[in-house]
């Protein structure tokens, strides 16, 4: 059973893309097909996994492994889930480290900076300010913008530590909302 858990979660970790929630249907298929959990138990497992810190897919693998084979099942399932990503990241890091002086690689990463910044800004606008029930400019939006401006001012002008900005933003968020 231990090896079966490892290979199933290794396969899921290797072949699944799109983040934790995108992997849940594959985990569900394997858990139900293997007879490890009922449909209700699986839903409870994913709910608990979603409340814990970390990836919901990895947390689900850990909980399923624990239910099926105890502590060793949890350890083996977690290792099986994260090992493919770890191997891929190590191999890519080695390849990119060897090519770090290549001008094409430098230009590619330099060109990706504004794209990534734009995607982050788009996500912030899309999810933070443009809810379906909200108008674009509300008191919540204005409060959020004030917190952002104050945070940027503290970071840039006063060189405050990012953790102090996060803490202060949380306090202001509690006060505003």
């Amino acid at each position: 059973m231990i090896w079966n858990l490892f290979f199933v979660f290794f396969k899921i970790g290797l072949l699944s893309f799109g983040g934790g929630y995108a992997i849940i249907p594959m985990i569900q298929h394997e858990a139900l097909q293997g007879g490890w959990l009922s449909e209700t138990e699986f839903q409870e497992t994913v709910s608990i996994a979603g409340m814990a810190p970390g990836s919901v897919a990895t947390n689900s693998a850990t909980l399923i492994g624990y239910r099926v084979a105890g502590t060793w099942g949890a350890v083996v399932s977690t290792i099986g889930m994260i090992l493919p990503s770890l191997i891929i990241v190590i191999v890519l890091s080695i390849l990119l480290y060897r090519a770090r002086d290549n001008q094409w690689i430098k230009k590619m990463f330099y060109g990706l900076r504004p794209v990534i910044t734009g995607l982050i800004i788009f996500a912030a606008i899309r999810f933070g300010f443009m809810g379906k029930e909200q108008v674009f400019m509300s008191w919540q939006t204005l409060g959020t913008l004030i917190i952002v401006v104050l945070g940027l001012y503290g970071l840039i002008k006063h060189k405050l530590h990012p953790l102090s900005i996060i803490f202060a933003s949380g306090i202001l968020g509690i006060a505003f909302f």
Side-chain angles (χ1 to χ4, degrees), residues 46-57:
V46 172
S47 296
I48 293 169
M51 290 187 283
S55 165
V56 69

Side-chain angles (χ1 to χ4, degrees), residues 44-120:
E44 291 170 358
T45 299
V46 172
S47 296
I48 293 169
M51 290 187 283
S55 165
V56 69
T58 304
N59 293 342
S60 296
T62 304
L63 290 170
I64 291 170
Y66 184 77
R67 280 195 167 177
V68 171
T71 303
W72 283 109
V75 169
V76 166
S77 297
T78 304
I79 291 170
M81 181 64 89
I82 64 173
L83 192 59
S85 298
L86 181 65
I87 292 169
I88 291 169
V89 166
I90 289 171
V91 169
L92 284 175
S93 296
I94 291 168
L95 293 174
L96 288 174
Y97 182 76
R98 288 182 180 167
R100 71 185 179 279
D101 294 328
N102 184 315
Q103 290 302 314
W104 287 94
I105 299 292
K106 285 182 179 181
K107 289 177 182 179
M108 178 186 69
F109 280 117
Y110 189 76
L112 285 174
R113 286 179 187 173
V115 172
I116 293 169
T117 304
L119 288 171
I120 292 170

Side-chain angles (χ1 to χ4, degrees), residues 139-141 143-144 147 172-177:
W139 286 108
Q140 287 181 326
T141 304
T144 302
I147 292 171
L172 288 172
I174 291 169
F176 278 154
F177 308 111

Side-chain angles (χ1 to χ4, degrees), residues 20-35:
Y21 286 102
I23 298 173
I24 293 300
M26 195 172 199
I27 295 174
Q28 180 180 18
H29 173 75
E30 294 292 340
L32 296 178
Q33 185 180 20

